[in-house]
């Protein structure tokens, strides 16, 4: 697992995360509704403190969007109903090699107002491990993160089965098995994630998440991997001899986009949380079309995938960008791939019977 491109340069995630930011802004009504529920719960007194965590915060301006929405919702509720604001504790989480220097610098923004009092900190670590004390969390937010798996499916890596075969006929033949391997890895990981968070929540705690997914449960040979656009460009580079084919065949991105039916089924089967609301939106729906021009999209994908590509293939990023520009400039290719992706936004409540 590698972090996004660090710093504030032209290729950084901080400057190239407009798609993720647009989805964070669409999550705000769910976060506001969750805060109102927490503040008006009949099972508990009005909280004197509230603990909020963002899992997979990354760095740059997006790191504070979700927790800032929660703080503003608390402030608005308390003004409207003349309540004393609770003290708010904020945890911003990501992998240990995330650019936390930028995150720490931006945290001062949360402490400008005295109401509510905000105490903030960073929590390095994988969200596939325990991160917080038992029974401590009121609200967890996560955007554009939970489609990252804990690892690539071992059945593929152990048996040297390519996740994305250059040969189209071979790719179609192997697709059902590869789909099952990725789907099972996601199910295992997301079930584990839910169990961990259930231990960390207070009764009635809320979770609002948004991940990239697919329109349907079926296997679409034109788009199975949500990283299909990246895999396609790398396959062209392998065919043209720019990257080694053996290297390409051993390249696995640990990322899976479920359908809404898959996600709902996993949540219900695990049982620790009940679904309050689930919304499915096209990746490009209600978003600035400028975010999805080939040039802009290339820059955003580079910010996310450059570290993992460099680690596996070496210094090939400039050729990757040239190949992407050549392929995605063809009418309809990029748009057709993007139209098959969706955002899955879900608001969850910790079930009263869960441990």
């Amino acid at each position: 697992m590698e972090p996004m491109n660090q710093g504030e340069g032209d290729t950084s995630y901080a400057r190239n995360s407009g798609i993720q930011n647009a989805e964070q802004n669409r999550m705000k009504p769910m976060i506001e509704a969750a805060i109102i529920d927490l503040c008006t719960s009949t099972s508990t007194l009005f909280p004197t403190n509230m603990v909020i965590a963002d899992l997979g915060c990354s760095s740059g301006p997006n790191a504070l969007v979700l927790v800032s929405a929660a703080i503003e919702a608390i402030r608005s509720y308390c003004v409207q109903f003349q309540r004393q604001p609770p003290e708010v504790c904020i945890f911003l989480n990501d992998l240990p090699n995330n650019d936390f220097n930028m995150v720490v610098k931006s945290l001062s923004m949360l402490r400008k107002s005295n109401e509510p009092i905000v105490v903030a900190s960073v929590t390095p670590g994988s969200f596939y491990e325990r991160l917080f004390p038992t029974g401590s969390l009121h609200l967890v937010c996560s955007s554009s993160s939970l489609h990252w798996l804990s690892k690539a499916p071992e059945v593929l890596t152990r048996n040297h089965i390519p996740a994305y075969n250059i040969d189209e006929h071979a790719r179609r033949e192997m697709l059902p098995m590869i789909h099952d391997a990725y789907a099972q890895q996601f199910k295992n990981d997301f079930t584990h994630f839910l169990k961990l968070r259930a231990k960390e929540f207070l009764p009635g705690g809320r979770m609002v998440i948004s991940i990239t997914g697919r329109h349907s449960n079926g296997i679409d040979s034109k788009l199975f991997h949500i990283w299909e656009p990246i895999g396609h460009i790398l396959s062209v580079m392998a065919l043209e001899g720019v990257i080694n084919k053996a290297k390409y065949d051993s390249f696995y991105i640990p990322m899976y986009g479920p359908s809404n039916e898959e996600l709902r089924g996993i949540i219900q089967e695990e049982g620790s949380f009940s679904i309050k609301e689930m919304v499915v939106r096209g990746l490009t729906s209600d978003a600035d079309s400028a975010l999805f021009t080939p040039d802009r999209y290339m820059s955003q994908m580079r910010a996310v995938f450059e570290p993992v590509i460099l680690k596996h293939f070496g210094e090939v990023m400039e050729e990757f960008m040239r190949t992407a520009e050549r392929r995605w400039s063809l009418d309809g290719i990029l748009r057709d791939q993007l139209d098959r992706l969706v955002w899955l936004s879900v608001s969850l409540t910790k079930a009263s019977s869960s441990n």
Side-chain angles (χ1 to χ4, degrees):
M1 297 291 290
E2 296 293 321
M4 309 297 102
N5 271 353
Q6 302 188 8
E8 300 178 83
D10 290 341
T11 63
S12 68
Y13 182 82
R15 289 198 181 185
N16 297 283
S17 50
I19 294 174
Q20 295 89 338
N21 180 259
E23 176 58 14
Q24 286 179 319
N25 288 327
R26 286 190 288 256
M27 291 173 66
K28 287 181 180 179
M30 277 190 177
I31 292 174
E32 291 164 358
I35 289 296
I36 291 172
D37 276 0
L38 287 167
C39 289
T40 59
S41 172
T42 56
S43 63
T44 59
L45 297 174
F46 183 77
T48 57
N49 65 80
M50 196 171 291
V51 180
I52 300 169
D54 182 337
L55 305 186
C57 67
S58 194
S59 61
N62 287 358
L64 300 179
V65 171
L66 300 182
V67 294
S68 295
I71 291 168
E72 183 54 39
I74 294 169
R75 183 181 292 118
S76 296
Y77 178 89
C78 292
V79 169
Q80 181 179 356
F81 294 99
Q82 298 183 326
R83 294 274 197 174
Q84 181 67 30
E87 294 183 359
V88 180
C89 179
I90 299 294
F91 292 109
L92 297 177
N93 156 262
D94 213 302
L95 295 171
N97 49 359
N98 181 54
D99 189 356
F100 280 113
N101 286 332
M102 282 196 69
V103 175
V104 170
K105 289 176 184 177
S106 62
L107 282 176
S108 60
M109 296 171 57
L110 293 175
R111 301 176 60 85
K112 289 182 178 179
S113 172
N114 291 325
E115 291 189 1
I117 294 172
V118 176
V119 177
S121 66
V122 298
T123 307
S126 167
F127 43 57
Y128 295 123
E129 63 188 22
R130 279 294 301 271
L131 294 168
F132 309 105
T134 300
S136 62
L137 298 177
H138 292 82
L139 174 67
V140 161
C141 305
S142 183
S143 178
S144 309
S145 297
L146 285 166
H147 44 254
W148 286 98
L149 305 173
S150 65
K151 59 184 177 182
E154 284 189 4
V155 68
L156 302 183
T157 58
R158 185 174 59 247
N159 295 301
H160 308 291
I161 299 170
Y164 189 99
N165 203 299
I166 292 176
D167 180 81
E168 185 174 350
H169 177 71
R171 186 162 67 246
R172 287 175 178 272
E173 280 197 339
M174 296 298 292
L175 193 58
M177 189 273 285
I178 293 169
H179 170 272
D180 289 348
Y182 267 90
Q184 188 61 50
Q185 185 65 50
F186 177 80
K187 182 178 181 179
N188 293 345
D189 281 345
F190 197 71
T191 298
H192 185 56
F193 171 85
L194 293 173
K195 290 184 182 298
L196 293 174
R197 301 293 83 78
K199 294 179 183 297
E200 296 166 348
F201 268 106
L202 287 158
R206 297 294 303 272
M207 182 154 55
V208 179
I209 62 174
S210 184
I211 68 175
T212 311
R214 306 188 329 276
H215 271 293
S216 70
N217 236 357
I219 302 174
D220 184 347
S221 62
K222 291 186 178 180
L223 188 139
F224 156 60
H225 299 291
I226 58 172
W227 46 271
E228 179 86 11
I230 305 302
H232 177 68
I233 298 305
L234 290 170
S235 72
V236 171
M237 293 170 66
L239 283 169
E240 294 177 349
V242 177
I243 57 178
N244 180 274
K245 184 181 181 300
K247 273 278 191 182
Y248 175 79
D249 287 342
S250 64
F251 182 62
Y252 304 91
I253 295 181
M255 179 185 278
Y256 178 76
S259 68
N260 64 315
E261 295 97 335
E262 277 182 282
L263 191 62
R264 184 183 296 274
I266 294 168
I267 294 168
Q268 291 174 340
E269 182 179 334
E270 194 279 327
S272 295
F273 295 87
S274 59
I275 299 172
K276 190 86 169 178
E277 182 181 6
M278 180 180 286
V279 177
V280 182
R281 304 183 187 87
L283 187 73
T284 60
S285 299
D286 305 321
D288 184 354
S289 60
L291 293 172
F292 299 96
T293 61
D295 284 350
R296 189 81 174 273
Y297 188 74
M298 281 191 299
S299 295
Q300 294 180 91
M301 290 303 96
R302 179 174 191 166
V304 173
F305 291 103
E306 181 168 13
V308 70
I309 291 174
L310 289 181
K311 183 177 181 180
H312 191 78
F313 296 105
E315 296 292 337
V316 300
M317 211 59 210
E318 296 312 315
E319 186 59 37
F320 176 91
M321 296 297 284
R322 283 191 289 270
T323 306
E325 182 179 16
R326 189 172 77 243
R327 298 293 300 178
W328 290 345
S329 63
L330 299 176
D331 285 344
I333 288 182
L334 180 60
R335 194 73 189 194
D336 181 61
Q337 291 175 329
L338 296 179
D339 284 347
R340 298 170 187 273
L341 298 174
V342 298
W343 287 112
L344 303 177
S345 300
V346 192
S347 180
L348 303 170
T349 304
K350 184 186 175 186
S352 57
S353 60
S354 65
N355 295 323

